[in-house]
């Protein structure tokens, strides 16, 4: 009797251990000297719907080559995650890792300060991440081809209408494919729930840039939301995009960790600027915002905000040669005021489209490109890198600059990209028109 009772307890213990193992997800990370040259804290954080949370954290010693983080929550509140280090700055778009509910043992090999998949870094056991990466790699290949076609148009002989039409046809077809067809076609082929959420995020980004119509996006989202009625993320998309409801306020816990994450990032970015001669780090005035943090809330009050119909006057900023250029100096009938920065991925992705419209209507349209880059050097290098010298380039300064904050507040800007189309009287007649919408608007005006 005793033996049978012992055997029963032994089986129960094994079952309990097995269940506990299933309720835990681990993230093992192998790091190199670009990260472990200083002792520091590392945080594993997640963002799901509008809830920001900390999954786990640990302290790593100087010279330590491996650490393990543990997710004991294991519920739907984990999907998009990121690693944040207290002493080194990792690029915001390279520190993100998609986690699916089926992931158990995730391992990152040779992580450097450049982030995931850079300098030989590899990820194992993150199944949705692997799926989405394969999808993104094919999109990047298509994007490279799109850039080639855009460059071909810039040097094309416009007297050869057949050749130009051929390039435009291939470009527009590829744009449509990358922004809509390719993403939608993958929704039924991916295996993991987090992959579907990731594809919907990419589609929503495409919708905001005019790559996919609202009707198409809403119809796709409606089908997916009916298919997965209990998924928090997907129902959040449906709530925002189809029903037009506002997102519920984030919890106090979420607000705390979001603020804490930003504080850590700011510290790592500015700490070298704030060191005294004896090597002690002290608080100092921030000269610029951390890279990638391009959604901000202007703090300047009592500033009149430009709206549709408002006349833009006295807008004058310095160009790369340090000369003041005013909007009134431009003589075309229409002016597109475009706020951008090279660290803003959506801004950079919109450049080829603006270039195309500008080249098509160069006698009728000027582009007054206002940079919010971190430094003048980065801004000037960006102009050359993205081959957009045709625009009238001016520099407002970084977000933290008082003049730039006043300017963005005047235009009611909380994030970039943002643009404003002015008519011959220099009144705002449209704003935030991108993609095909910009070309269509100009075509209608010039009829």
């Amino acid at each position: 009797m005793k033996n049978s009772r012992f055997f029963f307890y032994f089986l129960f213990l094994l079952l309990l251990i097995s269940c506990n193992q299933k309720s835990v997800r681990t993230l093992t990370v192998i790091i190199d000297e670009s990260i472990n040259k200083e002792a520091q804290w590392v945080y594993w954080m997640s963002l799901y719907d509008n809830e920001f949370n900390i999954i786990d954290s640990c302290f790593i010693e100087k010279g330590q080559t491996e650490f393990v983080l543990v997710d004991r929550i294991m519920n739907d509140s984990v999907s998009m995650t990121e690693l944040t280090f207290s002493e080194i700055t990792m690029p915001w778009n390279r520190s993100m890792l998609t986690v699916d509910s089926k992931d158990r043992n995730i391992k990152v090999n040779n992580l450097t300060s450049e982030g995931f998949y850079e300098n030989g870094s590899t990820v194992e056991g993150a199944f949705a991440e692997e799926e989405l990466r394969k999808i993104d790699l094919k999109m990047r290949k298509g994007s490279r081809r799109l850039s080639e076609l855009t460059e071909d148009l810039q040097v094309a002989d416009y007297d050869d209408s057949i050749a130009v039409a051929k390039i435009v046809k291939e470009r527009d077809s590829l744009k449509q494919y990358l922004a809509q067809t390719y993403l939608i076609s993958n929704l039924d082929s991916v295996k993991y729930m987090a992959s579907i959420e990731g594809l919907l995020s990419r589609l929503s980004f495409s919708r905001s840039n005019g790559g996919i119509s609202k009707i198409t996006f809403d119809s796709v989202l409606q089908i997916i939301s009916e298919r997965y009625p209990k998924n928090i993320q997907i129902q959040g998309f449906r709530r925002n995009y189809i029903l037009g409801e506002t997102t519920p306020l984030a919890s106090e816990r979420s607000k705390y960790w979001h603020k804490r994450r930003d504080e850590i990032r700011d510290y790592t970015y500015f700490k070298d600027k704030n060191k005294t001669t004896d090597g002690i780090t002290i608080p100092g005035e921030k000269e610029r915002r951390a890279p990638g943090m391009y959604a901000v809330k202007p703090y300047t009050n009592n500033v009149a905000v430009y709206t549709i119909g408002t006349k833009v006057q006295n807008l004058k900023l310095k160009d790369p040669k340090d000369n003041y250029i005013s909007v009134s100096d431009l003589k075309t009938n229409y002016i597109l005021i475009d706020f951008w920065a090279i660290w803003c991925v959506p801004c950079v992705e919109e450049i080829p489209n603006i270039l195309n419209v500008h080249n098509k209507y160069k006698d009728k349209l000027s582009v007054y490109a206002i940079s919010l880059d971190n430094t003048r050097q980065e801004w000037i290098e960006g102009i050359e890198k993205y081959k957009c010298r045709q625009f009238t380039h001016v520099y407002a300064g970084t977000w933290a600059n008082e003049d730039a904050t006043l300017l963005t507040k005047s235009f009611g800007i909380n994030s970039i990209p943002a643009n404003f189309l002015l008519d011959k009287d220099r009144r705002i007649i449209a704003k935030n028109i991108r993609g095909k919408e910009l070309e269509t608007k100009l075509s209608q005006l010039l009829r």
Side-chain angles (χ1 to χ4, degrees), residues 139 174-181 183 202-203 206 211-212:
M139 286 194 71
L174 184 56
K175 264 187 178 180
Q176 176 75 4
Y177 176 73
L178 293 175
Q180 176 177 318
T181 310
L183 293 173
R202 287 156 175 76
L203 276 170
S206 178
I212 178 174

Side-chain angles (χ1 to χ4, degrees), residues 48-51 236-237 239-241 244-250:
Y48 197 86
D49 200 15
N50 69 330
E51 281 295 303
F237 276 121
R239 179 185 63 232
N240 294 335
Y241 289 102
E245 298 176 359
T246 56
T247 302
L249 294 176

Side-chain angles (χ1 to χ4, degrees), residues 270-284:
F270 296 113
K271 66 172 185 166
D272 290 336
K273 289 181 171 294
N274 301 329
K275 282 186 177 179
T276 59
T277 53
D278 58 3
I280 300 174
T281 301
I282 60 172

Side-chain angles (χ1 to χ4, degrees), residues 404-417:
T405 303
L406 181 64
L407 180 62
T408 54
K409 180 68 176 179
S410 297
F411 280 90
I413 297 173
N414 293 324
S415 64
I416 56 175

Side-chain angles (χ1 to χ4, degrees), residues 105-171:
N105 301 305
I106 305 172
K107 185 177 182 181
V108 180
N109 298 296
N110 190 41
L111 181 66
T112 73
S113 58
E114 293 298 311
F116 297 118
Y117 303 110
E118 301 294 324
N119 297 332
S121 179
T122 59
V123 179
E124 303 172 8
F127 303 119
E129 175 75 19
E130 185 178 350
E131 269 193 336
L132 289 171
R133 179 161 172 77
K134 288 179 180 177
I135 291 170
D136 287 344
L137 284 174
K138 191 171 181 180
M139 286 194 71
R140 289 179 191 176
K141 184 177 180 181
S143 296
R144 285 195 295 271
R145 176 57 184 157
L146 202 57
S147 297
E148 292 172 0
L149 291 169
T150 301
E151 291 176 1
D152 289 345
L153 275 177
Q154 291 179 22
V155 298
D157 180 5
Y158 278 80
D159 291 330
D160 188 351
S161 58
I162 296 177
V164 171
K166 184 178 179 181
I167 297 173
V168 171
K169 182 179 180 181
E170 183 182 353
R171 182 205 62 186

Side-chain angles (χ1 to χ4, degrees), residues 3-28:
N3 288 337
S4 62
R5 183 176 297 176
F6 173 79
F7 183 68
F8 171 78
Y9 285 129
F10 179 72
L11 286 178
F12 179 76
L13 181 61
L14 285 178
L15 180 63
L16 185 62
I17 293 174
S18 175
C19 291
N20 286 337
Q21 286 177 338
K22 288 183 178 180
S23 64
V24 171
R25 174 189 292 119
T26 61
L27 174 64
T28 303

